[in-house]
Amino acid sequence: MSSLSSPTLIGRGPELDLLTEAGRSAGEGRGSSVFVLGEPGIGKSRLVEEAAATAVRAGLRVLRGRAASAGRAVPLRPLAEAVFSGLRGEGAPADGDLGPYEPLLSRLCGLAPQDGAPLVGYAEAVLRLLGVLGRTGGCVLVLEDLHDADADTLTIVDYLTDNLPGQRAVLLATLRGGPGPALDLAEAAASRRTARTVRLARLKPAHTAELAARCLGHDDAGAVPAAVLDRLHAVSDGVPFVVEELLRAMVDSGDLVQRQRAGWTVTGALNAGVPATVAAAVLQRVDHLEPPGVALLEAAAVLGRRFPVDIAARVAGLDRPTAHRQLRHAARAHLVADGTTHGPTAEQPGWHTFRHALTADAIAHRLLPAERAALCLAAADAIESAHASHATESADASERGTGGAGRPGEPHGLIGGDSGDDLYRLAAELCVAGGQRARAAVLLTRAGRQAVQRGALLTAVELLDRGLELTADATDAPPEAVARLLEELLRTLVLTGDVQRVPELGDRLDHILTAWGAPPARRAAGFLTQAGAAATVQRWEEGLTAVRRARELLGAEPDPASRAALDAVAAHLMLNSQRPDRLESARALAEGSVATAEAVGLPEVSCKALNMLGYCLRPLDLAESEKVFERLVATAETHGLPVWRIRGLLELGALDRVRFTGIERLLAARKAADETGAVLMTAWADMHLTLAHVLRDDLDAAADSARRLRVTARRLRLDEVELLGAGVDGIIAAVRGEREKLQTALHVLQNALAGGSAGAVWGYADTSVWGWAQGICSLLREEHDRAMAEFTDADQVMKALPSTRGVTGFLGPYLLLRTVRGAAGWAELDGAVAGRLSEAHSDRPYVGWSRAVLLGREGRAAEAAKAAEEALAGTDVIPLARHLCLRLGAQAALTDNWGRPVEWLRTAEHFFHDRGTTRVSAACRALLREAGSPVPRRREGHDTIPQELRRAGVTAREYEVLRLLGRGLGNQEIAEQLFLSPRTVEKHLASLRDRTGQNSRAALRTLARRYAHGQ
C-alpha cells in the first residue's frame, strides 16, 4: 500500500517559520545555528526536512549528515556524511577553493590517510567548505540525531555555532531533549546567543486529528471516523510517529478500510496501545517478510538504528545479493529507509537505516535475552573478521604499490569508508551486551588507538575510559590487556594536555605490570610517559624522578631506542629545573639523545632532542643554536614531520628577531603553520612578530599581529593563547608609555598564573618580556628610579632561568641605566654577559654606549665619542633603542664633557616629540637648557597632528592643508584661507602624497575625512 504519511507538515507553523527565516538570513550573509529538540517520533527530522526543502527552492545548497546510533557513537560520521555531499555533484568546490583545508576534508571523509591533524583544523575546514558552498546563494548544514554523536563531532559543532554568524550558512541540528553532552552544547550555545533552540511539543488534539486526516488523504478531520480519532487521542499522546504507525497498523490489520463512496470505515476493534501497539505494528510487518528477511533485520537491530549491511548479512548467514533483496522487501514494508530518505548513499553504500529508532528497538526487544546475546557476539565476531580481512587486503595492496586505495574519489575502508575505531567501538558494545566485558575492553583499546591516528583525541579518551570502566567489572581481564589499555590512555592524555590523571594512572599501570611480571623495558615505558606528562605541566622534579625510575628498570645498558627517548625527555626536564648544573646536564643529555636517535633511525625523537639542544645553546652561542635548529628543520623535512618542521622554522625566526630584528623567517614559519593548520604555532609566530615590530617601533604592524593573535585565541578558545594576546597588548602599551593599560594586562596575567591556568605558554617570557616592558614603560615616562627597581626584580628572577639569560629582554637598557648611575663598571662590560648581549640586536647599542660612558668618565673623550658612534651603527631599524641610548648617554656626555651631547639630545628630542613620548621629549629639552643650547620651538598646531602623520614627517602647515582639502575646498580656496599662493598649496599637496603614500587628490581627501571622523 502507499505510505500513510502526511504530505504536509502539521502543527509546526511557527517552528517552520523560524527555520525558514534562518535559512533566508543565511542567504543574506547572516548565518546562525538552530537546534531542534524533542523526543523520538516528535517530528524533528520532518520539520528540518521541510525547512531544507524550502531552502533548496530558494537556491541554497543543503548538506546532510546523521550521527550513528550503533554503539556509543561513530567519530565524526555526521560531518563526514555532510562533507561528502558537499564535495560531490553540481556546485562542488573547484580545485583551490578550499586552499590548505582541502586535505583535511579528505581525511575527515576517509579519502586520504590520517595523520593526527588537530581537531580545530577539521572544524575550520568544515567552516571553510560551508563558506565556499554558500558564497552565492547560501548553504544549509543539516545534522541529525546529535544525541548519538561523539565528543569530537560535538566539539566541531560547538566551534561552528560560534563562527557561523556573519557567514552565508546555517546549521540545523536535531537531537533528543534528554540530558547529555549534545543538549549541554545546545543550551550553552543558546546562553551565549550564538544559537537558538526549538523544543517540539506533542501535537494538540486538533493537530492530531488534522494529521490523521492528511495521512488518510483528506483535508478535513471530519472525514476521519470518530472512533479512529478517539483511539489516536487516547494512545498517541500527540506523537506524530505514533499517530502514523497506529494508522498503518489499523489499515494493515483490516480494522480500518477505505470504501470508494463511504470513505474510511472502521470494521474492527481498533484496540492498539502505546508503546506495545507501535511495537506490534512494526513486528507485524516484520513477520510478513521471508525468514531470511526476518533474520537480517534481527541481526541489524542489535547493531543499532543505523547498521552495516555486510555485518548484518554475515550474522544472518546471507550472501550480499540475498541481503540486498531482503532489504528491498523491508523498505517496501516501511521498516527501513527506502533510499530516498536516509537510505544508503553513494558516499556510504555499505550502511542502511531503520525507518525510526523505535523500529529497531521493537525488533531487538522481542528477542529473548539469550537470543540477543548470541546475536551480539556473532556480530562482534563478524566485525573482527571483516576488519582482519580488510587489513590483509590493504597490506597486499600496499605491497602491490596501490596503497589500498580504490578508484579516485571512491571511499575506502571496511564498510562504506568506515574507520577502524568506528567498528571496533561497535564490536565492543556488542561484546558488552553479550556478557564479554574483557573482550570489549581489548576492542576499545584498539578503537582508541585508531581514533588517535585519526586525530579524534577526545573520542579516543572517551573510548579508553570506557574500556577502563569495563575492566573494573571484568575479573577475567588479562593483566596484559589492562596494561595496554592504560598505556594507550596515558599516551592519549599527554597528547590532549589533560595530564592531571597521569600520576594516578601511571602508578596503577606500574602496579599491574609488576604483578604481571612484565619485562623492565615495558615498565620503563610507563615511567617515560609520566615524565613527558610532568614536563607538560612544568613539574620538573616529578618528571626527573620518573626518568630515574625508568633508568633503574632499564639497567646500566638500556637499549638505544629507550635511551634516546629518555634522554630527550630528561633534557627538557633538566633544562627547566632548579639544579645548579642544569644547563650543562641538559646539553649533554640532548646531544646524547640526538646521536643515538640518528644512529637507530628515530627521527621524531631526534627532532625533539635537537629542539632541546638548540635551547641549551641559545644562551651560549646564537650562531651554534641556529645551526642546530637548521638540522631540526632538515630532519623534519627528510622524514615528513610537518609539525617539527614548523617548530624549527619558528625557532629560527625567533633567533632572527634576536640577532638582527629580522622577520622574514618568522613570516615563513607563520605561513607554514597556517597552511598546515598548526594553530598554536601560528599564534606563537604572531607573538614573535609582535615583539619584532615593537623593537622596530612599528606599532601599527605590532597591533596587526597582536590582533591576529587575539582572533586566533578567541575563535579557537585557546585560553593560554588568549593570555599571549593580552600580554602583547600590554607590551605595545608599554612602548607607548601607557602605564594604566600595561598594568591591566599584567593583572590579567598574574591572575592566570595564580590560578594555574596560564600553563606552559609563558615559560621564560613572563620574566624577560615583562621585565623589559615594565622597565621600558618607566623609562619612557622618565621614572628612572622605578625602571631601575623593575629591571632589578626581573634580573633576580631571570637568574633562575639560564636557558634564556642574556639572549633577549631587558638586560641591555638595564646595563646602560646602571652604568650611567655608576652601578656597573668594566668588570661587567668585559664579562661573558656583555658578550652575549652583543649578539642581540636590540641590546647591542646599549652595550656600546655603556662602554662609551665608562670611557668618558675616565677622561678618554675621543675613545668615548668613537665608541658611541660605533654603537649607533645598524640601529636605524630599531629607532626606540637608538634614541633611548642617545637620551641616557648624552646626559653622561654632558657631565663628563665628551662627544656631541647637544646634537644627540636634539635628535632624541625630535624623535620622542614626533613619537608622542612627551615626557622624554621634555627631559631632552630641559637638558638642552642646562647645556645653554637653544631649545627647539614647535610650530603652533604641531601637537594636533595625528601621531602616525607626525611619524611620516607631515608638518603643521601640511596638516592644515590636508584638513581643508577634506572639507572639499579647492587649491584657490585653501590658499585664501591660509594666506598662501595656490602654487604653494600644490607643493604641500605633493609633499602630502609622498609622505602618506596616497597617489591622488581623491585619496588624500578620503584620508583627511577619516581623520576628521576620528578614524
Side-chain angles (χ1 to χ4, degrees):
M1 60 170 295
S2 62
S3 173
L4 282 180
S5 297
S6 171
T8 59
L9 188 64
I10 304 299
R12 306 300 187 199
E15 295 87 349
L16 181 58
D17 289 344
L18 189 153
L19 267 62
T20 302
E21 174 59 23
R24 189 186 65 78
S25 296
E28 297 174 354
R30 300 192 306 277
S32 63
S33 301
V34 183
F35 293 92
V36 180
L37 287 64
E39 63 185 285
I42 203 66
K44 304 182 293 294
S45 296
R46 179 65 185 275
L47 172 64
V48 170
E49 186 61 33
E50 289 286 338
T54 301
V56 169
R57 290 192 294 270
L60 280 76
R61 182 74 183 273
V62 176
L63 313 185
R64 293 179 174 86
R66 182 188 293 275
S69 62
R72 285 198 150 197
V74 179
L76 304 178
R77 175 175 300 284
L79 293 165
E81 288 184 1
V83 167
F84 256 126
S85 62
L87 293 179
R88 294 189 173 190
E90 185 178 354
D95 290 342
D97 278 356
L98 296 169
Y101 291 93
E102 187 169 348
L104 287 179
L105 290 175
S106 295
R107 289 195 286 273
L108 176 67
C109 298
L111 294 175
Q114 304 300 324
D115 64 354
L119 194 61
V120 291
Y122 288 125
E124 181 63 20
V126 174
L127 186 65
R128 296 291 178 95
L129 175 63
L130 296 178
V132 169
L133 295 177
R135 59 192 168 192
T136 54
C139 183
V140 180
L141 173 62
V142 175
L143 297 179
E144 296 205 55
D145 293 346
L146 279 189
H147 51 271
D148 285 329
D150 60 293
D152 292 288
T153 294
L154 295 180
T155 298
I156 292 178
V157 170
D158 198 27
Y159 177 94
L160 293 176
T161 63
D162 281 351
N163 291 283
L164 280 175
Q167 303 286 329
R168 290 183 179 273
V170 62
L171 166 65
L172 304 182
T174 68
L175 63 149
R176 293 178 185 173
L183 181 61
D184 293 342
L185 182 159
E187 291 180 343
S191 68
R192 295 194 305 269
R193 298 188 177 181
T194 59
R196 286 173 290 182
T197 58
V198 176
R199 188 177 290 272
L200 297 187
R202 297 182 178 185
L203 297 179
K204 295 179 180 179
H207 286 142
T208 299
E210 184 181 358
L211 174 61
R214 294 287 185 174
C215 289
L216 295 175
H218 297 287
D219 295 333
D220 181 12
V224 181
V228 172
L229 292 179
D230 289 343
R231 177 55 61 183
L232 291 178
H233 294 321
V235 299
S236 74
D237 210 10
V239 177
F241 171 74
V242 177
V243 171
E244 293 181 354
E245 290 301 302
L246 287 173
L247 285 171
R248 189 184 310 280
M250 294 175 188
V251 172
D252 289 350
S253 65
D255 293 334
L256 179 64
V257 297
Q258 186 177 29
R259 306 190 188 280
Q260 287 186 343
R261 293 188 178 182
W264 290 96
T265 303
V266 175
T267 61
L270 299 178
N271 57 358
V274 175
T277 304
V278 174
V282 170
L283 297 177
Q284 184 180 37
R285 279 176 276 143
V286 171
D287 290 337
H288 281 90
L289 298 176
E290 299 172 358
V294 175
L296 179 67
L297 292 190
E298 288 178 343
V302 301
L303 292 166
R305 181 188 178 187
R306 193 171 171 283
F307 56 91
V309 177
D310 284 357
I311 297 300
R314 289 191 187 203
V315 174
L318 305 177
D319 57 35
R320 184 174 291 179
T322 301
H324 287 171
R325 185 172 62 255
Q326 295 302 325
L327 277 176
R328 287 194 293 272
H329 295 328
R332 285 194 291 271
H334 302 285
L335 294 166
V336 299
D338 60 6
T340 60
T341 55
H342 310 301
T345 64
E347 294 84 11
Q348 296 178 332
W351 288 75
H352 226 92
T353 308
F354 281 104
R355 184 174 177 274
H356 193 275
L358 296 180
T359 306
D361 290 344
I363 297 171
H365 282 89
R366 84 163 178 180
L367 297 169
L368 296 174
E371 290 177 315
R372 193 179 310 135
L375 282 175
C376 287
L377 294 178
D381 291 340
I383 289 172
E384 287 199 86
S385 175
H387 195 277
S389 298
H390 174 68
T392 301
E393 291 171 4
S394 296
D396 291 344
S398 179
E399 290 179 5
R400 293 192 301 269
T402 62
R407 292 183 297 274
E410 183 177 276
H412 66 278
L414 175 53
I415 299 174
D418 269 326
S419 62
D421 53 299
D422 301 351
L423 294 166
Y424 278 137
R425 175 204 295 263
L426 176 55
E429 295 303 328
L430 291 167
C431 287
V432 171
Q436 295 183 353
R437 302 174 76 84
R439 179 184 173 191
V442 172
L443 290 167
L444 287 169
T445 303
R446 297 178 193 170
R449 189 179 303 118
Q450 295 269 354
V452 169
Q453 293 172 0
R454 282 164 53 87
L457 298 180
L458 298 178
T459 297
V461 172
E462 178 187 336
L463 290 165
L464 295 166
D465 273 336
R466 169 66 169 156
L468 198 61
E469 173 190 328
L470 293 175
T471 62
D473 299 328
T475 56
D476 59 336
E480 182 175 6
V482 178
R484 285 179 179 169
L485 193 154
L486 282 167
E487 288 167 343
E488 199 65 47
L489 179 56
L490 283 166
R491 283 192 287 269
T492 306
L493 289 172
V494 171
L495 287 174
T496 63
D498 180 15
V499 295
Q500 301 303 319
R501 299 167 57 199
V502 168
E504 182 269 327
L505 292 174
D507 290 342
R508 182 173 173 183
L509 170 62
D510 191 58
H511 175 76
I512 290 173
L513 292 173
T514 303
W516 169 38
R522 183 79 176 273
R523 294 181 60 196
F527 285 113
L528 178 61
T529 301
Q530 292 186 62
T536 301
V537 292
Q538 303 183 48
R539 295 176 181 169
W540 315 119
E541 289 299 327
E542 183 180 307
L544 288 170
T545 298
V547 169
R548 177 180 55 77
R549 295 186 67 181
R551 293 194 192 282
E552 291 172 353
L553 286 166
L554 293 172
E557 295 185 6
D559 66 280
S562 297
R563 183 174 68 248
L566 272 174
D567 285 349
V569 174
H572 185 186
L573 294 161
M574 182 63 71
L575 181 63
N576 291 280
S577 72
Q578 295 297 312
R579 301 189 181 188
D581 63 339
R582 50 193 174 270
L583 186 57
E584 296 79 6
S585 297
R587 178 179 178 180
L589 287 164
E591 288 174 338
S593 178
V594 171
T596 305
E598 290 180 346
V600 298
L602 297 173
E604 194 159 1
V605 174
S606 179
C607 286
K608 186 172 186 177
L610 284 167
N611 192 52
M612 297 315 305
L613 181 57
Y615 284 143
C616 292
L617 290 172
R618 191 165 55 182
L620 305 174
D621 190 323
L622 293 182
E624 289 300 314
S625 178
E626 181 178 29
K627 291 178 183 178
V628 170
F629 286 124
E630 286 173 344
R631 281 178 63 190
L632 166 58
V633 172
T635 300
E637 288 176 344
T638 300
H639 296 281
L641 301 171
V643 174
W644 278 112
R645 174 182 174 272
I646 297 167
R647 184 76 172 268
L649 288 174
L650 184 57
E651 296 300 340
L652 289 171
L655 286 177
D656 288 350
R657 173 177 67 82
V658 171
R659 296 181 70 188
F660 55 88
T661 325
I663 60 173
E664 285 72 19
R665 284 202 285 198
L666 275 176
L667 291 171
R670 191 192 187 285
K671 182 174 183 290
D674 191 44
E675 290 175 349
T676 309
V679 289
L680 187 56
M681 279 183 277
T682 301
W684 270 107
D686 279 328
M687 191 272 291
H688 282 296
L689 283 168
T690 302
L691 297 181
H693 291 313
V694 165
L695 293 175
R696 290 167 167 249
D697 209 36
D698 187 352
L699 300 189
D700 290 338
D704 285 343
S705 295
R707 177 187 52 77
R708 290 198 304 267
L709 180 61
R710 291 192 303 273
V711 168
T712 299
R714 290 168 186 168
R715 185 168 190 168
L716 304 179
R717 299 181 196 167
L718 300 174
D719 294 337
E720 293 188 354
V721 178
E722 192 156 3
L723 288 175
L724 283 178
V728 294
D729 285 346
I731 291 168
I732 293 172
V735 297
R736 286 176 170 156
E738 298 172 342
R739 170 82 66 194
E740 186 176 343
K741 290 183 179 179
L742 172 61
Q743 291 299 332
T744 298
L746 270 173
H747 183 68
V748 170
L749 177 62
Q750 288 165 348
N751 285 345
L753 290 170
S757 62
V761 162
W762 281 97
Y764 64 86
D766 56 342
T767 53
S768 66
V769 173
W770 282 111
W772 180 86
Q774 293 181 91
I776 290 294
C777 184
S778 295
L779 286 179
L780 295 177
R781 296 173 65 85
E782 282 294 317
E783 299 169 356
H784 290 187
D785 290 340
R786 179 167 183 167
M788 178 68 84
E790 289 165 340
F791 284 150
T792 301
D793 289 344
D795 185 51
Q796 291 175 351
V797 177
M798 279 289 290
K799 287 176 180 176
L801 297 168
S803 61
T804 60
R805 182 174 172 80
V807 173
T808 184
F810 58 88
L811 293 177
Y814 182 37
L815 175 63
L816 179 56
L817 186 59
R818 286 186 296 120
T819 303
V820 169
R821 290 182 160 221
W826 286 112
E828 285 193 52
L829 283 168
D830 292 335
V833 171
R836 290 197 296 273
L837 283 180
S838 296
E839 291 186 287
H841 190 206
S842 60
D843 285 328
R844 194 178 303 132
Y846 295 106
V847 177
W849 271 85
S850 295
R851 293 183 184 279
V853 169
L854 291 181
L855 289 167
R857 193 169 292 160
E858 293 177 353
R860 299 155 68 178
E863 294 175 75
K866 182 180 179 181
E869 294 295 342
E870 290 176 348
L872 293 177
T875 58
D876 290 342
V877 74
I878 47 173
L880 182 58
R882 176 189 180 94
H883 291 93
L884 275 175
C885 286
L886 293 178
R887 157 67 186 97
L888 296 172
Q891 185 171 1
L894 277 174
T895 301
D896 297 325
N897 195 27
W898 59 271
R900 296 179 288 112
V902 170
E903 180 182 332
W904 292 334
L905 284 171
R906 285 184 181 279
T907 301
E909 192 279 337
H910 181 77
F911 170 79
F912 285 113
H913 186 277
D914 284 351
R915 190 178 185 274
T917 313
T918 55
R919 293 192 182 188
V920 183
S921 177
C924 291
R925 289 197 294 274
L927 288 170
L928 285 169
R929 291 190 189 96
E930 291 178 15
S933 175
V935 177
R937 294 181 61 188
R938 298 294 175 190
R939 182 184 180 92
E940 184 178 352
H942 185 276
D943 291 339
T944 66
I945 304 173
Q947 185 171 321
E948 53 268 39
L949 292 183
R950 267 189 282 154
R951 287 181 186 166
V954 173
T955 67
R957 177 63 81 188
E958 288 170 349
Y959 186 53
E960 289 176 334
V961 171
L962 181 66
R963 291 172 62 188
L964 292 174
L965 178 69
R967 287 162 52 186
L969 274 63
N971 284 13
Q972 183 65 43
E973 295 169 302
I974 294 173
E976 291 173 359
Q977 288 266 1
L978 300 179
F979 302 99
L980 300 173
S981 70
R983 184 175 180 182
T984 301
V985 171
E986 184 57 43
K987 287 182 178 179
H988 284 316
L989 290 173
S991 177
L992 281 166
R993 286 194 295 270
D994 182 62
R995 295 181 192 277
T996 62
Q998 307 299 319
N999 58 10
S1000 68
R1001 185 186 186 93
L1004 279 177
R1005 185 179 295 113
T1006 301
L1007 180 68
R1009 288 170 178 167
R1010 279 177 43 212
Y1011 284 116
H1013 290 90
Q1015 297 177 15

